[in-house]
């Protein structure tokens, strides 16, 4: 028993394997439901639900018509993707006995998290998707807006990384002389039992959905759960994929995400051709670019994007409460600004929906996508190498001078 | 814990989220003299992987295997 339990719950899974499975599952989810794995659209709807709860009349807001604000979050498949991801992550955290209330020592993090969360939420919805619908599941839909979004996010995270490096932003840790004692470990382990109980209740709920013919809710709950399990076990962090390349020359997450997207694209092109489905295409406009830059900056400021935030919150990282709140505030504010402050007219009106499948056909689309991903992969390796070359040079200068 | 060399410095990063544990660790190591031992206590799950891997990628060596202590990890790194 122990030989099975150990690698599953005591160690994190290889991010390549995790993102490969996530890429396959998201293509499958599209094939089954004709919708994609996404979260921020639902965050916007949650904001709308809250506004309605406080008596605000949002019936005239265009953005809420566009994202189909209907029913409650419990009756929406996208809602169950979100709650399923929370549940899946929480179950995994508990089964691996890794839940702990983690409060940042640097109090400035809470402000950074809230502000970053708002900017990231606003930017994601401006671009019509976060790192999922405009990135990981957007590229495999051959929606050109995701290409713009990736470039823009890269630019945003670059500036975010610059900000992170400044002294007033990162703060100073307490470096003490000598050794210090670690925390005492509790002997009684109860977290796995709580995790198992939640898992049983959740499985019951999924059975209920399928038994009562609510297939879409069932698939949402099932795939949400799977995505939650995967991102927690793989510690999948889209924020770090870009940021850590600039900060410490770390490339593993970026490479794994690119590989996952390549697989997902190949499977999706087959699914679309065989089942004659319509790919999900979003407007490509100036709003995509501006939104992407804001999103990239915001996720680095907040230390996590809309997806990474979810499993970190379940691990007990208190910082991600203001980030979650910020994401919803930002997304809701964008929904308001869309027509009330003229955001649509200025940034999105001139845009068009461009899908590579329509413009250059399935063969062209998959070749172009794989070529683009190949270039991204090469750039990732280039940046990693550049970072380490500069590091060696700096070291050389230092040794020589001293 | 087994008899290990007494750490010269300790970086207690409990509660801090990524990327700050790895930034702080690399900075602390940069400021120390070669051969001195740094103890890092961290509980950010992302840092369980990126702190030791990046310490090595930046040319430092681990004094011993990482120690899992409940919901946190201890790393011992030579500057």
């Amino acid at each position: 028993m122990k030989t099975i339990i150990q690698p599953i719950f005591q160690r994190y899974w290889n991010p390549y394997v995790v993102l490969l499975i996530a890429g396959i599952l998201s293509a499958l989810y599209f094939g089954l439901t004709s919708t994609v794995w996404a979260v921020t659209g639902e965050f916007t709807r949650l904001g709308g639900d809250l506004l309605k709860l406080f008596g605000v009349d949002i019936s005239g807001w265009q953005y809420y018509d566009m994202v189909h604000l209907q029913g409650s979050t419990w009756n929406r498949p996208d809602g169950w993707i979100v709650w399923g991801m929370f549940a899946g992550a929480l179950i995994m955290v508990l089964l691996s006995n890794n839940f702990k209330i983690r409060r940042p020592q640097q109090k400035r993090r809470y402000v950074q998290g809230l502000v970053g969360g708002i900017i990231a939420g606003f930017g994601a919805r401006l671009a019509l998707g976060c790192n999922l619908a405009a990135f990981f599941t957007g590229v495999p839909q051959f929606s050109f807006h995701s290409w713009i979004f990736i470039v823009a996010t890269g630019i945003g995270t670059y500036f975010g990384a610059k900000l992170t490096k400044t002294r007033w932003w990162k703060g100073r840790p307490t470096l003490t002389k000598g050794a210090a004692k670690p925390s005492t470990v509790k002997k009684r382990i109860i977290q796995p039992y709580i995790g198992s109980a939640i898992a049983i209740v959740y499985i019951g709920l999924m059975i209920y959905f399928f038994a009562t013919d609510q297939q879409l809710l069932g698939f949402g709950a099932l795939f949400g759960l799977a995505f939650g399990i995967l991102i927690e076990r793989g510690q999948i962090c889209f924020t770090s994929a870009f940021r850590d390349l600039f900060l410490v020359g770390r490339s593993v997450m970026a490479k794994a995400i690119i590989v996952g997207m390549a697989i997902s694209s190949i499977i999706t092109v087959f699914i679309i051709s065989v089942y004659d489905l319509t790919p999900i295409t979003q407007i490509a406009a100036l709003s995509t670019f501006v939104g992407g830059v804001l999103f990239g900056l915001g996720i680095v400021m907040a230390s996590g994007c809309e997806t990474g935030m979810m499993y970190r919150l379940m691990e007990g990282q208190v910082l991600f409460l203001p980030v979650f709140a910020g994401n919803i505030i930002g997304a809701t504010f964008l929904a308001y600004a869309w027509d009330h402050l003229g955001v649509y007219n200025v940034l999105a009106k001139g845009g068009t929906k461009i899908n590579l499948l329509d413009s250059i056909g399935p063969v062209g689309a998959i070749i172009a996508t794989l070529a683009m991903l190949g270039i991204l992969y090469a750039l990732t390796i280039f940046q990693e190498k550049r970072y380490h070359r500069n590091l060696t040079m700096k070291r050389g200068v230092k040794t020589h001078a001293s | 814990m087994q008899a290990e060399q007494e750490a010269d410095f300790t970086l207690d990063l409990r509660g801090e989220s990524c990327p700050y544990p790895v930034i702080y660790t690399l900075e602390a190591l940069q400021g120390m003299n070669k051969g001195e031992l740094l103890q890092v206590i961290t509980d950010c799950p992302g840092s369980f992987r990126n702190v030791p891997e990046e310490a090595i990628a930046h040319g430092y060596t681990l004094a011993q295997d990482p120690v899992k202590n409940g919901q946190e990890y201890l790393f011992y790194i030579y500057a």
Side-chain angles (χ1 to χ4, degrees):
Chain A
M1 196 61 184
K2 208 168 177 187
T3 48
I4 305 171
I5 297 288
Q6 282 284 57
I8 294 182
F9 297 116
Q10 291 307 313
R11 251 184 291 146
Y12 288 122
W13 303 347
N14 183 321
Y16 286 96
V17 176
V18 167
L19 282 160
L20 219 64
I21 301 172
I24 296 169
L25 286 185
S26 56
L28 209 61
Y29 183 65
F30 170 70
L32 287 167
T33 65
S34 294
T35 57
V36 292
W37 174 26
V39 292
T40 45
E42 184 60 21
F43 285 7
T44 324
R45 290 181 210 115
L46 284 176
D49 289 342
L50 281 173
L51 287 177
K52 278 200 276 189
L53 199 68
F54 288 110
V56 181
D57 179 23
I58 55 166
S59 54
W61 295 23
Q62 281 172 17
Y63 202 90
Y64 281 118
D65 282 341
M66 192 168 70
V67 296
H68 308 294
L69 177 61
Q70 285 148 358
S72 78
T73 186
W74 315 116
N75 301 320
R76 296 191 285 255
D78 279 357
W80 278 103
I81 284 280
V82 168
W83 304 118
M85 284 170 73
F86 274 124
L90 180 63
I91 291 166
M92 285 299 118
V93 169
L94 291 170
L95 288 182
S96 54
N97 191 38
N98 194 28
F99 182 83
K100 183 190 169 194
I101 298 291
R102 297 159 158 104
R103 289 190 204 87
Q105 298 169 14
Q106 304 277 347
K107 298 294 168 248
R108 67 190 82 187
R109 296 277 179 264
Y110 293 110
V111 184
Q112 293 169 348
L114 182 67
V115 175
I118 292 174
I119 296 176
F122 184 89
R125 289 325 298 167
L126 178 58
L128 299 168
C130 64
N131 53 314
L132 296 176
F135 204 134
F136 192 76
T137 53
V139 169
Q141 292 294 321
F142 306 98
S143 177
F144 187 70
H145 89 298
S146 54
W147 289 42
I148 302 172
F149 188 80
I150 289 176
V151 174
T153 306
I155 295 170
T157 45
Y158 174 77
F159 288 108
K162 286 250 172 228
L163 186 64
T164 306
K165 277 186 173 172
T166 56
R167 178 57 65 195
W168 65 275
W169 182 273
K170 67 183 165 191
R172 205 180 279 276
T174 40
L175 185 66
T176 49
K177 257 194 140 32
K181 284 240 170 314
S183 313
T184 40
V185 180
K186 287 200 187 93
K187 282 272 181 304
R188 266 185 60 205
I189 293 175
I190 54 163
Q191 289 186 18
Y193 297 103
I194 304 173
S196 309
I198 297 174
I200 290 167
V201 171
Y202 194 88
I203 291 168
L205 186 89
M206 287 193 297
I207 293 173
Y208 165 79
F209 282 146
F210 284 112
T212 53
D213 237 17
Q214 306 184 75
Q215 255 78 3
L216 285 180
L217 293 184
F219 282 131
L222 176 65
F223 280 82
L225 181 79
F227 292 135
I229 291 172
L230 288 171
I231 56 170
E232 195 282 331
R233 282 290 87 194
Q235 293 282 305
I236 301 308
C237 178
F238 285 75
T239 310
S240 75
F242 279 111
R243 178 199 64 204
D244 290 2
L245 263 179
F246 302 128
L247 274 185
V248 290
R250 187 175 170 79
S251 66
V252 53
M253 197 54 71
K255 287 194 244 175
I257 288 171
I258 295 168
V259 171
M261 282 198 289
I263 294 296
S264 195
S265 302
I266 294 168
I267 300 174
T268 306
V269 82
F270 278 112
I271 288 179
I272 289 175
S273 316
V274 173
Y275 295 98
D276 200 23
L277 296 173
T278 314
I280 308 224
T281 318
Q282 304 286 5
I283 305 173
L286 192 55
S287 57
T288 319
F289 185 81
V290 176
V293 173
L294 288 174
F295 173 76
L297 178 67
I299 56 175
V300 178
M301 289 171 74
S303 300
C305 68
E306 281 85 337
T307 326
M309 168 281 283
M310 297 171 92
Y311 68 83
R312 299 215 173 101
L313 197 55
M314 295 298 103
E315 287 165 347
Q317 298 195 46
V318 183
L319 166 63
F320 291 94
L321 275 177
V323 176
F324 187 23
N327 285 159
I328 291 185
I329 294 169
T332 311
F333 179 63
L334 182 271
Y336 175 78
W338 190 251
D339 40 2
H340 296 81
L341 301 178
V343 167
Y344 172 76
N345 283 331
V346 176
L347 294 174
K349 205 176 181 179
T352 40
K353 289 187 174 184
I354 303 171
N355 195 289
L356 300 179
L357 289 175
D358 301 329
S359 10
I360 48 176
V363 178
I366 190 71
I367 290 173
T369 300
L370 292 179
M372 184 270 284
L373 293 175
I375 292 169
L376 274 187
Y377 199 93
L379 281 173
T380 305
I381 292 172
F382 172 76
Q383 169 61 22
E384 183 191 15
K385 290 239 158 78
R386 200 176 70 125
Y387 173 89
H388 280 283
R389 204 173 45 234
N390 287 348
L391 187 76
T392 335
M393 262 173 16
K394 255 188 241 162
R395 284 257 169 77
V397 171
K398 203 174 139 197
T399 348
H400 204 70
S402 58
Chain B
M1 255 149 281
Q2 64 274 59
E4 74 243 1
Q5 183 193 332
E6 180 81 355
D8 296 296
F9 292 99
T10 296
L11 205 46
D12 181 355
L13 302 174
R14 277 172 279 192
E16 281 295 330
S17 296
C18 284
Y20 301 100
V22 68
I23 294 178
Y24 286 158
T25 302
L26 293 177
E27 270 181 10
L29 287 165
Q30 211 177 9
M32 288 164 54
N33 293 320
K34 205 162 169 53
E36 285 181 326
L37 184 63
L38 176 71
Q39 179 190 37
V40 180
I41 310 178
T42 175
D43 62 9
C44 167
S47 72
F48 298 166
R49 211 181 236 164
N50 65 22
V51 165
E53 286 180 9
E54 286 312 313
I56 291 168
H58 284 72
Y60 305 104
T61 43
L62 297 188
Q64 61 173 85
D65 283 340
V67 180
K68 189 176 191 311
N69 180 58
Q71 287 89 26
E72 62 193 33
Y73 259 92
L74 306 175
F75 299 110
Y76 297 90
I77 310 162
Y78 284 119

